[in-house]
Amino acid sequence: MSDSSISKLNCALANSRSVLIVCGAGTSAESGVPTFRGTTRSWWSGLLGYPILLVFGTPWGWEWLPWLVWPLFRIFMRRTMRRAEPNAFHELAVRLHDAGKDVLVVTQNIDGLFQRAGLPPQNVIEQHGTVQTNICSRCLKPVDGDAYCGACGGWPRPAALLFGDRWFPEADITPALKMSHDTVVIIAGLSGMVSSADPILNARIGRRDGAHVFNINPLPNRYDGPRIECIRMGCAEVAKKINL
Ligand code: NAD
C-alpha cells in the first residue's frame, strides 16, 4: 500500500510545477523535536503534561511565572529546537524548490527547520510564529533578543502562538489559496487537533479538480479520507524515497 502510494507521490511530484506542503509537528519528529500528540514521548506526556502545558503553553505562565518558565524553556525546549538538524523531509522541500518547482510550505511548527534546510523564508508561512524571536508578554510588542520590553518593561516570551493567546502571528495564507488548481498538496505530520490549516485544506481538498493530495503520517488522523492518498510512514522516511 505505502509502496504504491510512494510511487504515486514520486510520479505526481515529477510532473508537478507547484507543491503545497501543509505540515505540523510530525515533520520535525525525525529531527528529534517531540510532537505534541502522536508517536513520540514528549514534554507534554505523562502526569506532569498538563501542568507543563499550562505553564509553557499559555500566556498565563509567561506573564506570571517568567522566572520559572524562562530557564526551563531555554534549557529544554529552545535548545532542543535550535540543536535539531533538518531531516530528509525538510530537505525534500529544498530539492523541489531547487528543481524549479513553485514550493510553498505552510507550517504550524515554530522551529524554523525548513528555513535552516535552505528554503527561502518567503516560501514558508509560519502560522504559529517562531521560537527564534520574542515579543513582550505584557504589551505583545516585538522585543530584542531575550531582553525586557523597551516599551513597558515586561518580560519577553517567544513569538509563538500559545493556547488561549490574545496575540496572533502575521501569517497571510493568500498565496496558499491562490496556487494553481493542479498543485500537488502534501499534508504531513499534522494531527488536525489544531485547526489552523483548515481554511487552506478545506479550500484545496474541497476543490480537488485534478489536484493530488497526499497525507503522510504514521497514525490515522483527521485528514484521512476518500481520494486522499494516505502514506502511513514517517515523513523523512518517505522523503528519502523521492527521486527528482
Ligand atoms: P501534533 O503534535 O498535534 O500532531 C503531530 C502529528 O504528527 C501526529 O498526528 C503524529 O502521528 C504525527 N507524526 C509523528 N511522527 C511523525 C513522523 N515521523 N512523520 C509524520 N508524521 C508524524 O502536531 P500539530 O498538528 O502540528 O499541532 C500541535 C501544536 O504544537 C502546533 O501548534 C505546533 O505549533 C506545536 N508544536 C510544534 C513543534 C515544532 O515546532 N517542531 C513541536 C511540537 C508542537
Side-chain angles (χ1 to χ4, degrees), residues 24-26 28-30 33-39 108-111 128 189-192 194 216-219 234-235:
S28 298
E30 285 147 289
V33 183
T35 59
F36 194 56
R37 304 173 184 84
T39 53
Q108 296 186 170
N109 292 351
I110 53 178
D111 53 30
H128 289 187
L190 208 55
S191 68
V194 178
I216 310 177
N217 195 319
L219 298 180
C235 45

Side-chain angles (χ1 to χ4, degrees), residues 39-59:
T39 53
T40 48
R41 271 196 69 72
S42 75
W43 304 304
W44 327 105
S45 312
L47 270 184
L48 281 177
Y50 279 107
I52 291 177
L53 185 61
L54 194 67
V55 172
F56 289 94
T58 69

Side-chain angles (χ1 to χ4, degrees), residues 10-19 96 100-102 182-184 212:
N10 249 315
C11 186
L13 290 175
N15 295 317
S16 69
R17 277 170 303 160
S18 59
V19 184
L96 290 163
K101 299 183 193 293
D102 180 13
D182 55 358
T183 297
V184 172
H212 302 270

